[in-house]
Amino acid sequence: MKRISGPAERVVVVGAGLAGLAAAAHLTGRGRSVTVLDDREGPGGRASGHQLDGYSIDTGPTVLTMPGILGDTFAALGEELGDWLELTRLDPAYRALFADGSHLDVHTGAEAMAEAVRAFAGPAEAEGYLRLRNWLSELYTVEFDRFIASNFDSPLSLLSPQLAKLVAMGGFRSLDGAIGRFLKDPRLKRVFSFQSLYAGQSPRRALALYAVISYMDTVGGVFFPRGGMGAVPTALAAAVAKAGATFDHGDSAASLEMSGGRVQAVRTAAGRRLPCDAVVLTTELEQTYRLLGRIPRRLVPLRPAPSAVVLHAGTVRARTDVAHHSILFGEAWHRTFDEIIGQGTLMSDPSLLITRPTATDPALAPAGHDLYSILAPVPNLDRGRQRWGALGPRYADELARHVQRRMMPGFTAEIDRTFLLTPDDWAARGMVAGTPFSYAHTFAQTGPFRPANLVRGVENAVLAGAGTVPGVGVPTVLLSGRLAADRITGAGR
């Protein structure tokens, strides 16, 4: 594994999102002097929250999987995860609701889920689920250490016995086809393949190796921290500060002072100079490359993932019959992906993710109230031609009415507060093509073909975050911080 050259005692981490915090945790735990620079007033980045009249809203990720990776990040500082965060394992992980009126609670325990599938679709599908579960578990074992949690120096790094095993397991076939080897019921196939949208791909085009995301939430489990997802960066930042790192909030990186291919210091927008031996950049890739004065050389331009409209709604009624996470599937499925990704149009038959965090933590809303987030995948700003300034409020109303028709009668009349995020809002935060999901995980944008965390021509700069390796999602972004630290210190040093 390549490391940066020269001394690496003083490190500036630009960005206090999950990637930057993870990098700071591992570097501080390895004895480096770390300064974290961030333009916001507090930590969080994409995982920041928003306070609205007594409602505590998560404006970024709402699903937490693989808490062991988060635990490893705290352990790098000599801390225990449980001393900083209270996590609740969600059961069901999701409730899936289908256009035919049927529904399925998705459990992560093998016996409970097999029984639920048996009652839902019959004994043959229950047996298929158990075989799928074994395949997902083996896939995760093959992929994780070698392909997800490791640095790549070149595509040749892929050549290994694990690659041969991954090929033999069908990892380079389509995800839809791989799931179809085990399950025939189209509703069940959706439950185990909708995760491809996290990778910016349709199930028919996504590689089967991305079924590892299905493993993370349908086998590994889905969790929720008390205080909401925003509690994760808050706790991690506090642990990093306790270990001795310095946080510099409310100022941004304006430029990098370079000499002979090395970053000597970070110049801030406020005119300050932060000397460093190495720098970790977790900014959006376009901003990162501008700071470095580099243009990446690629044969094919990077393709951003689809975006999302998210309607956060506080209600005056606290329901007890709505799960923490619900997936509201429309009848159209493959057409939906073609509309969003291929045509750049809105879904004609929406499939939505509805999160009710107050199901687990009622304190996130005023007493007797509920809080919901309704996420609708939409085209990114490069692909779509929607004018969100005018369309956004109308589309939010349409989503609320759709949820009312499909799962919550009377919902729209109960709403007393709303907070809406559209692709324009993501773009205003500097996110490429107005998407919070960064670059799609096509084959040409995966593993060693994804933008690398080392930059040609710069000896002591390392990248972290969703745009580089290993990719999008809370667990992988945390890993990107650790991989960046490894590039500076050597693995675990």
Side-chain angles (χ1 to χ4, degrees):
M1 179 192 73
K2 292 180 181 177
R3 291 175 50 185
I4 67 166
S5 62
E9 295 306 310
R10 300 170 302 167
V11 184
V12 173
V13 177
V14 179
L18 292 175
L21 293 172
H26 287 279
L27 289 165
T28 303
R30 298 173 193 179
R32 271 55 180 186
S33 175
V34 175
T35 298
V36 181
L37 177 68
D38 192 87
D39 58 357
R40 297 182 178 223
E41 293 304 319
R46 275 178 168 82
S48 298
H50 178 74
Q51 298 297 314
L52 179 65
D53 298 332
Y55 294 98
S56 297
I57 297 170
D58 286 322
T59 59
T62 60
V63 178
L64 176 62
T65 61
M66 307 307 292
I69 296 173
L70 181 58
D72 290 343
T73 309
F74 279 96
L77 298 163
E79 300 286 348
E80 292 287 340
L81 171 62
D83 292 336
W84 292 89
L85 289 166
E86 180 183 338
L87 299 185
T88 298
R89 187 184 186 109
L90 303 183
D91 189 20
Y94 298 99
R95 177 168 294 156
L97 300 99
F98 301 94
D100 63 3
S102 61
H103 74 273
L104 174 69
D105 282 351
V106 179
H107 304 281
T108 52
E111 292 184 8
M113 187 57 181
E115 185 55 40
V117 171
R118 185 175 293 108
F120 180 76
E125 293 296 85
E127 289 301 316
Y129 158 73
L130 291 173
R131 290 187 291 109
L132 171 62
R133 183 186 178 94
N134 289 336
W135 180 77
L136 290 173
S137 299
E138 185 178 5
L139 188 73
Y140 175 79
T141 300
V142 171
E143 284 189 47
F144 185 78
D145 287 336
R146 187 68 188 86
F147 300 109
I148 299 175
S150 295
N151 276 309
F152 293 97
D153 291 332
S154 77
L156 295 177
S157 303
L158 286 172
L159 301 178
S160 66
Q162 291 97 324
L163 178 62
K165 178 69 171 177
L166 191 57
V167 171
M169 292 183 68
F172 293 93
R173 301 174 184 172
S174 78
L175 174 63
D176 188 67
I179 301 299
R181 290 165 47 206
F182 304 96
L183 300 171
K184 304 306 177 187
D185 189 302
R187 299 167 300 175
L188 289 175
K189 290 174 66 176
R190 294 182 187 187
V191 168
F192 292 94
S193 63
F194 82 89
Q195 296 87 349
S196 69
L197 192 59
Y198 298 151
Q201 293 278 74
S202 76
R204 286 179 171 172
R205 295 187 64 86
L207 296 176
L209 58 86
Y210 282 110
V212 71
I213 308 175
S214 303
Y215 168 88
M216 290 179 179
D217 57 15
T218 67
V219 179
V222 177
F223 297 78
F224 190 72
R226 180 176 293 278
M229 289 292 289
V232 174
T234 298
L236 189 52
V240 171
K242 176 187 173 185
T246 299
F247 281 81
D248 199 339
H249 284 292
D251 199 0
S252 59
S255 63
L256 302 178
E257 183 180 307
M258 307 281 294
S259 176
R262 294 186 66 83
V263 179
Q264 301 292 330
V266 177
R267 295 277 186 176
T268 78
R272 293 177 301 118
R273 181 179 185 271
L274 303 178
C276 61
D277 299 318
V279 62
V280 177
L281 299 171
T282 72
T283 42
E284 296 293 316
L285 278 188
E286 290 182 351
Q287 181 184 357
T288 295
Y289 291 137
R290 282 197 300 270
L291 286 170
L292 292 168
R294 295 292 187 276
I295 299 175
R297 292 185 292 178
R298 295 183 64 89
L299 294 176
V300 179
L302 288 168
R303 180 168 74 78
S307 186
V309 166
V310 185
L311 171 63
H312 299 278
T315 66
V316 297
R317 175 185 174 188
R319 296 174 181 259
T320 59
D321 58 344
V322 178
H324 189 115
H325 293 297
S326 299
I327 309 168
L328 195 59
F329 288 107
E331 179 63 34
W333 181 236
H334 295 297
R335 187 178 79 208
T336 291
F337 290 93
D338 181 59
E339 288 170 338
I340 297 168
I341 300 173
Q343 300 175 29
T345 59
L346 300 180
M347 295 178 287
S348 57
D349 182 11
S351 290
L352 309 174
L353 172 64
I354 297 100
T355 298
R356 177 183 164 237
T358 41
T360 304
D361 188 354
L364 297 174
H369 293 229
D370 250 345
L371 177 61
Y372 298 86
S373 69
I374 302 169
L375 185 152
V378 298
N380 63 48
L381 295 179
D382 284 357
R383 193 64 181 163
R385 295 294 180 265
Q386 295 76 23
R387 297 184 177 180
W388 287 107
L391 175 61
R394 298 199 308 271
Y395 193 55
D397 289 343
E398 182 181 328
L399 295 176
R401 290 194 299 269
H402 188 78
V403 170
Q404 178 171 263
R405 287 194 303 270
R406 288 286 310 275
M407 65 178 285
M408 284 191 283
F411 176 65
T412 59
E414 298 167 3
I415 297 173
D416 74 333
R417 295 289 186 278
T418 60
F419 183 69
L420 180 65
L421 292 168
T422 74
D424 282 354
D425 297 300
W426 308 122
R429 298 182 183 187
M431 299 180 194
V432 61
T435 172
F437 304 114
S438 191
Y439 296 100
H441 282 264
T442 62
F443 178 77
Q445 296 176 182
T446 295
F449 307 111
R450 198 165 180 81
N453 59 4
L454 291 179
V455 179
R456 189 188 304 272
V458 183
E459 297 176 8
N460 62 338
V462 188
L463 277 54
T468 184
V469 290
V472 179
V474 173
T476 39
V477 164
L478 288 169
L479 284 173
S480 79
R482 195 264 289 168
L483 294 177
D486 290 350
R487 290 292 197 186
I488 293 171
T489 69
R493 298 180 183 175

